[in-house]
Amino acid sequence: MTANLILERSQCHPLLRQDEDMAFEVAMSRPVFGLDVFDQVVQANPALLDHFPQLRSRSPALVIDPTSRARLPAWLFPSFLEGVARRVGGAAWHYMQWTRRGKPEALARVAYVRATMQPYSLFDEVDAT
């Protein structure tokens, strides 16, 4: 499973882009948790419906019932570790890119993905290459 579109709540009301490409992204999204939030995003961005009217009704077939699974306690994820996690993740990213340094097709793919993700990127870093 991959998350191809991650937005903060503040970025959804309204969406910066409400063109056909963003409408397509929303139409192709398959939310598995928080279908009500998804519906709120569509309602807050009615221009998306001009491009894909079928966004008015979504099938809850893939939705996970929040009561079906116990959540882990919050104390397992202390907020003071976020900085460490970000640095470890950044180091892993740089290591992965270093291992691909001699593979032009891999570097081209990464460049393509980063270019297409740019309008949606939540965690952009200036020096992330």
Side-chain angles (χ1 to χ4, degrees):
M1 177 190 299
T2 62
N4 65 340
L5 181 60
I6 300 173
L7 298 170
E8 289 183 7
R9 188 177 304 268
S10 62
Q11 294 174 299
C12 298
H13 302 283
L15 289 168
L16 280 175
R17 295 177 47 231
Q18 296 187 25
D19 58 6
E20 61 274 1
D21 292 331
M22 180 56 91
F24 179 76
E25 285 286 339
V26 174
M28 292 294 102
S29 297
R30 298 290 178 247
V32 294
F33 188 81
L35 189 61
D36 55 334
V37 174
F38 184 88
D39 290 341
Q40 291 170 9
V41 169
V42 172
Q43 290 171 2
N45 297 279
L48 298 176
L49 296 171
D50 295 340
H51 304 292
F52 286 90
Q54 61 269 41
L55 286 172
R56 281 190 181 87
S57 61
R58 298 293 297 234
S59 169
L62 299 175
V63 176
I64 296 171
D65 179 14
T67 60
S68 67
R69 189 163 196 196
R71 297 189 76 151
L72 294 173
W75 59 265
L76 285 175
F77 309 99
S79 61
F80 70 87
L81 290 178
E82 283 190 33
V84 174
R86 188 174 294 274
R87 285 190 292 278
V88 168
W93 168 258
H94 288 292
Y95 174 74
M96 181 182 65
Q97 295 309 305
W98 181 78
T99 62
R100 295 177 174 183
R101 69 191 180 283
K103 300 176 182 172
E105 65 279 353
L107 294 174
R109 177 69 182 159
V110 170
Y112 169 76
V113 170
R114 289 184 64 81
T116 58
M117 288 176 50
Q118 191 64 34
Y120 315 112
S121 291
L122 183 58
F123 302 110
D124 275 345
E125 295 180 21
V126 175
D127 63 345
T129 55

